[in-house]
Amino acid sequence: MDLAELLADAMRRQCLSCEALAHAAAIRAPRIKAFVEDGAEGPIRPTPEELTELAQALSLPLPDVLAAAGQDRRTVVHAGHPV
């Protein structure tokens, strides 16, 4: 499952719009829309910090979000510290 599918599925299950997720994750709505439409390989790519915020806002395991985005867990920063 890629990032777009993972986000869309989690948003559907929680009945969240892109705007509601943007508010919960403190990420601009146009960026979230791009991630949902294009995943992590589109022209707008999520930062490690954004992936962490999305995982927390959607109550998804961070390793699942990172795997869907094709990111290595060690590149993610959580609370200012590498995870």
Side-chain angles (χ1 to χ4, degrees):
M1 179 178 293
D2 73 357
L3 183 63
E5 294 170 336
L6 182 71
L7 293 177
D9 184 53
M11 289 170 62
R12 246 188 321 273
R13 279 185 278 125
Q14 296 182 27
C15 298
L16 289 175
S17 66
C18 287
E19 290 76 15
L21 180 55
H23 180 71
I27 300 170
R28 293 180 45 229
R31 289 187 65 82
I32 297 217
K33 287 179 185 176
F35 303 154
V36 172
E37 291 173 9
D38 301 327
E41 298 302 318
I44 299 173
R45 297 186 180 196
T47 66
E49 293 82 8
E50 287 172 328
L51 293 172
T52 301
E53 290 295 326
L54 289 169
Q56 290 174 347
L58 292 169
S59 300
L60 295 170
L62 183 56
D64 291 354
V65 174
L66 296 176
Q71 299 248 340
D72 183 45
R73 180 178 166 88
R74 290 170 292 174
T75 64
V76 174
V77 175
H78 180 67
H81 303 286
V83 180

